[in-house]
Amino acid sequence: MKFIAAAVVLCALPFSIAAQQNFEPIRLDPKNPHYYLYRGKAIALITSGEHYGSVINADFNYRKYLETLQSDGLNYTRLFGGSYVEVPHTSFGIQRNTLAPSGGRLILPWARSAEPGYAGGGNKFDLDKWDPEYFQRLHEFLGEAERHGVVVEISLFSSQYGDVQWAMSPFNAANNVNHTTTAVDRNTVNTLENGNLLALQERYVRKLAREANAFPNVIFEIQNEPWSDRPELADVVNPYLPKPGRDQYPNSIEVADEQSIAWQSRVAQWITSEEAQLPHRHLIAQNYSNFRLPVRKLIDGVSIVNFHYAYPEAVTLNYGLDKAIAYDETGFLGRGDDAYRRQAWNFMLAGGSTFDGLDYSFPLGHEDGADTDPNGPGGGSPSFRKQLGILQRFLAALPLEEMAPDYHVVAHAEGVTAHALSSSQGAYAVYLDGKGPSRIVLRLPAGSYRGEWLNTVTGEATAVTSVKSDGTEYQLEAPALANGIALRLTRALY
């Protein structure tokens, strides 16, 4: 009875803190739903974050990690809730993988049983019992993130990708003592045809919704990359390639099939119905597809559309939804900073709400993100995070509640690609992607403008003080640029 009472007090603690704070959880800005309203201000979310194991890896120093994000000027991280884990030194070639804790250092929402035999070491899980250590760590992580101004996307489920990952899943019948349906495999676990797992999944979702309800900095994602285990070809990036390569990854654009969507819809219903009984409501994100695609239909209750490995067109094609369009994960382009920095600027200046790099420089012992040795199929580094901080400050200086994509202001950009945002009050933000020299032709309303060119690598600013438009076209020489430069202009008000 003492143990039960302690657990009850532990779970109730965040709610008492929340009652004193009288906060509003992060939400879409009602003035401009393409951005977020948090702490009374319109914001974008920018980060390069660790590989999603901050809570389930008992050895990970999340305090140092969150301090690092804040010091780099970043305000977002993703977190996998515990329904999916990876294999040390195996999954995706990641050698130092925070989502693959070694030995007995894996802690999940469910308590361990007295029966040995978990594939990752130690005893099997009892899916009818919660692990208080996990929820204490979850509460502490979310609270610490809130103190550092970091918004947390909790990804409740994920595709399994392969049998090696499925062999580690707590939902795999071999890894629990609950006699879960043995006929379920990695392709059916996240469908409505998963036997007695469905009730256990519902219990898990409702539990996490309750435990996170007190925290204002939480977003729920239904499932990470649902198209991976249940793909349906929707389009291709380059339609001029020959088959069969044209229709295969990395050229294929895939969505989840109908069985997956039906199950994801049920998960969203669990979140909304559980939170209907609780003090607060949190945003729900749907990971729709990879690359770019016009959305056909969103799941009810979804406010954020997540794309992975996204093109700016993912925003352009879906801006009319009046939802937040998020670049929720990137990688697989080597270890250098340039490609990922250019992705971030192009996407956000196209009108995106979120950019999230997958950062492999945060393994155990390097929670300050200083490990730049090869580790996995992507990048991440202190220098890259500093560059993202430059983007974050650039966006934060704009009146985001007024900003929208502007396809008119840049009439021509010599030899480079341009994306632009503007407000009706005379604020303009332009990103030029490519190498110089370049001259841009602007269509600005009549008036005088001041601003600056911004080096997206160093943050060095060059003042622009003499732009006087007569309402027709105005030519502006860009400073020397390599792999991108940004321009900010504001009309003088008299």
Side-chain angles (χ1 to χ4, degrees):
M1 288 298 293
K2 291 182 179 179
F3 175 82
I4 295 174
V8 170
V9 170
L10 178 64
C11 292
L13 179 59
F15 289 92
S16 64
I17 294 173
Q20 297 170 18
Q21 292 175 336
N22 190 28
F23 65 85
E24 282 287 338
I26 185 171
R27 57 184 174 131
L28 300 188
D29 190 322
K31 295 180 180 177
N32 187 349
H34 303 96
Y35 298 104
Y36 306 98
L37 185 65
Y38 184 55
R39 296 180 172 179
K41 181 177 173 59
I43 66 166
L45 297 176
I46 308 287
T47 201
S48 180
E50 69 88 24
H51 188 212
Y52 316 145
S54 295
V55 170
I56 70 169
N57 193 322
D59 291 327
F60 188 79
N61 185 343
Y62 58 78
R63 289 183 174 85
K64 182 182 289 186
Y65 166 63
L66 294 168
E67 288 170 2
T68 300
L69 291 185
Q70 183 185 41
S71 68
D72 288 336
L74 308 180
N75 63 351
Y76 183 61
T77 191
R78 293 183 81 206
L79 177 72
F80 277 21
S83 65
Y84 167 83
V85 295
E86 292 187 339
V87 184
H89 315 296
T90 299
S91 298
F92 302 101
I94 306 170
Q95 296 304 304
R96 300 179 298 285
N97 188 349
T98 53
L99 198 57
S102 60
R105 305 308 293 161
L106 171 68
I107 54 173
L108 298 183
W110 306 278
R112 299 274 186 161
S113 71
E115 182 179 328
Y118 173 59
N123 290 354
K124 296 181 179 183
F125 290 93
D126 187 339
L127 304 183
D128 286 330
K129 295 181 180 178
W130 303 121
D131 185 347
E133 180 184 358
Y134 170 89
F135 290 102
Q136 179 177 357
R137 188 171 170 88
L138 177 66
H139 294 158
E140 292 173 350
F141 178 87
L142 296 177
E144 193 76 7
E146 200 275 332
R147 285 188 287 276
H148 287 287
V150 175
V151 173
V152 181
E153 179 185 78
I154 300 177
S155 194
L156 295 167
F157 298 95
S158 177
S159 287
Q160 298 293 322
Y161 302 102
D163 291 338
V164 290
Q165 277 84 229
W166 173 238
M168 301 286 283
S169 172
F171 291 143
N172 189 315
N175 293 324
N176 62 66
V177 296
N178 306 92
H179 305 290
T180 53
T181 305
T182 57
V184 170
D185 61 18
R186 70 179 181 88
N187 293 310
T188 55
V189 60
N190 294 334
T191 71
L192 297 177
E193 289 72 45
N194 64 4
N196 60 358
L197 272 178
L198 192 65
L200 294 166
Q201 290 174 330
E202 178 178 0
R203 189 167 175 262
Y204 157 74
V205 170
R206 291 182 181 276
K207 175 69 170 175
L208 262 65
R210 290 195 304 275
E211 296 294 334
N213 193 255
F215 297 92
N217 56 324
V218 167
I219 293 166
F220 288 112
E221 181 185 56
I222 299 168
Q223 183 183 356
N224 177 68
E225 298 187 348
W227 61 83
S228 182
D229 285 351
R230 304 198 62 87
E232 199 170 84
L233 183 67
D235 202 350
V236 295
V237 175
N238 184 351
Y240 303 111
L241 294 177
K243 292 184 177 182
R246 186 197 70 178
D247 297 340
Q248 298 172 353
Y249 182 85
N251 197 56
S252 57
I253 300 175
E254 296 170 333
V255 295
D257 69 6
E258 290 185 5
Q259 285 181 281
S260 171
I261 293 297
W263 175 85
Q264 290 182 67
S265 298
R266 187 72 61 85
V267 175
Q269 291 169 12
W270 295 335
I271 299 168
T272 54
S273 65
E274 188 64 29
E275 288 200 326
Q277 310 170 56
L278 299 170
H280 303 290
R281 313 287 181 269
H282 291 89
L283 296 173
I284 299 176
Q286 179 182 351
N287 199 177
Y288 191 80
S289 80
N290 53 345
F291 303 138
R292 63 187 181 215
L293 197 69
V295 169
R296 186 173 299 278
K297 188 178 187 304
L298 287 176
I299 289 168
D300 289 346
V302 164
S303 297
I304 304 170
V305 189
N306 284 347
F307 290 88
H308 283 194
Y309 312 97
Y311 289 80
E313 291 85 356
V315 182
T316 308
L317 293 168
N318 297 293
Y319 200 79
L321 291 173
D322 282 343
K323 308 284 187 183
I325 311 297
Y327 196 143
D328 195 48
E329 180 184 290
T330 189
F332 293 93
L333 292 176
R335 295 170 54 210
D337 298 338
D338 283 359
Y340 304 116
R341 182 188 66 254
R342 293 168 65 191
Q343 284 180 338
W345 277 92
N346 277 310
F347 189 84
M348 297 306 294
L349 270 291
S353 70
T354 307
F355 180 84
D356 178 19
L358 183 48
D359 196 319
Y360 292 101
S361 68
F362 285 111
L364 293 181
H366 292 277
E367 289 88 345
D368 59 355
D371 185 356
T372 56
D373 288 338
N375 179 32
S381 66
S383 62
F384 177 57
R385 291 191 300 276
K386 297 298 183 186
Q387 292 166 28
L388 286 186
I390 294 167
L391 171 58
Q392 178 66 278
R393 290 189 294 275
F394 181 89
L395 294 170
L398 300 171
L400 289 179
E401 67 277 6
E402 303 171 6
M403 303 299 287
D406 189 330
Y407 307 110
H408 174 81
V409 66
V410 180
H412 181 63
E414 295 178 353
V416 295
T417 300
H419 288 102
L421 302 171
S422 70
S423 80
S424 61
Q425 301 303 309
Y428 294 88
V430 180
Y431 175 66
L432 305 180
D433 187 40
K435 297 182 180 180
S438 181
R439 180 187 330 181
I440 61 173
V441 180
L442 299 173
R443 297 191 190 103
L444 295 166
S448 297
Y449 296 80
R450 302 185 62 164
E452 62 186 11
W453 289 101
L454 184 71
N455 186 311
T456 58
V457 177
T458 67
E460 181 181 358
T462 303
V464 177
T465 59
S466 59
V467 175
K468 296 184 185 300
S469 172
D470 62 4
T472 58
E473 291 186 346
Y474 185 93
Q475 293 189 13
L476 190 62
E477 296 281 346
L481 69 144
N483 294 329
I485 195 168
L487 171 67
R488 180 167 47 218
L489 291 174
T490 303
R491 186 171 65 236
L493 299 178
Y494 299 101

